[in-house]
Amino acid sequence: MRDRIIHKSSELFLTLGFKSVTMDDIASTMGISKKTIYVHFSNKTKLVEAVTFTLFENICDGIDCICETAPNPISQLYDIKMFVMQHLKNEQASPLFQLKKYYPSIHDALKSKQFEKMHESVSESLAKGIETSVFRPNIDVEFIARLYFNGMTGIKDEIIFPREKFNMHYLMESFLEYHLRAIVTDKGMTILNNFINKNQS
């Protein structure tokens, strides 16, 4: 039952927002009593926390699978972008913005976990790219891994990139190309151009 509550709550939170959805809404949608939810979660904050980190773990598992099977680091980044976009497709209520506003401690803990995960995977990807000659050998892996995280986090800031001017697909696509153009070799540029041309066709 706990997993069912998390799954249904995830759908509601991503569609309607963390603030808007009440425990009554969740109970009503699931056809259970509110008491049943409170058996597993003492309050809404605990439920929001469980939903947030379950979603995070699911995304991490998907990214790990991509990292294990991608033929090269450029393909890996594009595959991860597509995977993340699939997860974001049902978001209609700016959940990250609401999480930061109404549940700041959960937001900060999530950001810390996201940094650890992304820093590790991006650093490994950069090292592999240098090793396979698709990224320049003189790049500063530690600096660029942190810069990439900062950029991916920054494009989700709706104050700087309002959704009425920039949709998330455009932002992720443009930032990824911007990032890769700065670090690829001629060999890497050929691979990158293939992805750019494929996405434009």
Side-chain angles (χ1 to χ4, degrees), residues 166-179:
F166 305 95
N167 68 60
M168 187 49 70
H169 182 271
Y170 172 81
L171 288 170
M172 290 187 75
E173 189 79 29
S174 299
F175 178 72
L176 183 53
E177 182 182 338
Y178 178 82
H179 162 73

Side-chain angles (χ1 to χ4, degrees), residues 56-123:
F56 172 73
E57 292 300 332
N58 290 342
I59 289 174
C60 285
D61 289 345
I63 289 173
D64 287 343
C65 288
I66 291 168
C67 291
E68 288 171 13
T69 58
N72 61 69
I74 295 173
S75 176
Q76 177 183 313
L77 285 174
Y78 271 92
D79 288 346
I80 288 172
K81 184 210 73 171
M82 291 302 297
F83 174 73
V84 171
M85 287 306 302
Q86 281 295 110
H87 268 73
L88 297 179
K89 69 179 180 181
N90 294 323
E91 288 189 5
Q92 298 169 19
S94 305
L96 201 63
F97 177 79
Q98 289 202 5
L99 193 68
K100 183 177 183 179
K101 185 173 182 180
Y102 299 110
Y103 300 94
S105 61
I106 297 174
H107 174 271
D108 291 346
L110 174 65
K111 188 172 182 179
S112 177
K113 282 179 173 288
Q114 286 175 326
F115 172 72
E116 288 172 19
K117 178 65 182 175
M118 192 179 285
H119 184 268
E120 177 189 12
S121 62
V122 172
S123 295

Side-chain angles (χ1 to χ4, degrees), residues 33-70:
S33 71
K34 200 160 59 168
K35 281 184 181 178
T36 303
I37 299 176
Y38 284 121
V39 167
H40 300 279
F41 304 98
S42 56
N43 54 53
K44 185 182 171 184
T45 299
K46 291 292 184 186
L47 177 56
V48 168
E49 184 177 51
V51 165
T52 298
F53 292 114
T54 298
L55 288 170
F56 172 73
E57 292 300 332
N58 290 342
I59 289 174
C60 285
D61 289 345
I63 289 173
D64 287 343
C65 288
I66 291 168
C67 291
E68 288 171 13
T69 58

Side-chain angles (χ1 to χ4, degrees), residues 78 177 181 189 192-200:
Y78 271 92
E177 182 182 338
R181 281 186 181 278
M189 194 68 225
L192 176 58
N193 279 330
N194 286 336
F195 276 98
I196 293 169
N197 293 334
K198 188 166 69 176
N199 287 338
Q200 287 175 344

Side-chain angles (χ1 to χ4, degrees), residues 151 154-166 171:
I155 61 175
K156 293 174 185 172
D157 187 328
E158 295 190 26
I159 295 172
I160 299 172
F161 296 103
R163 289 295 171 267
E164 61 269 19
K165 287 188 176 180
F166 305 95
L171 288 170

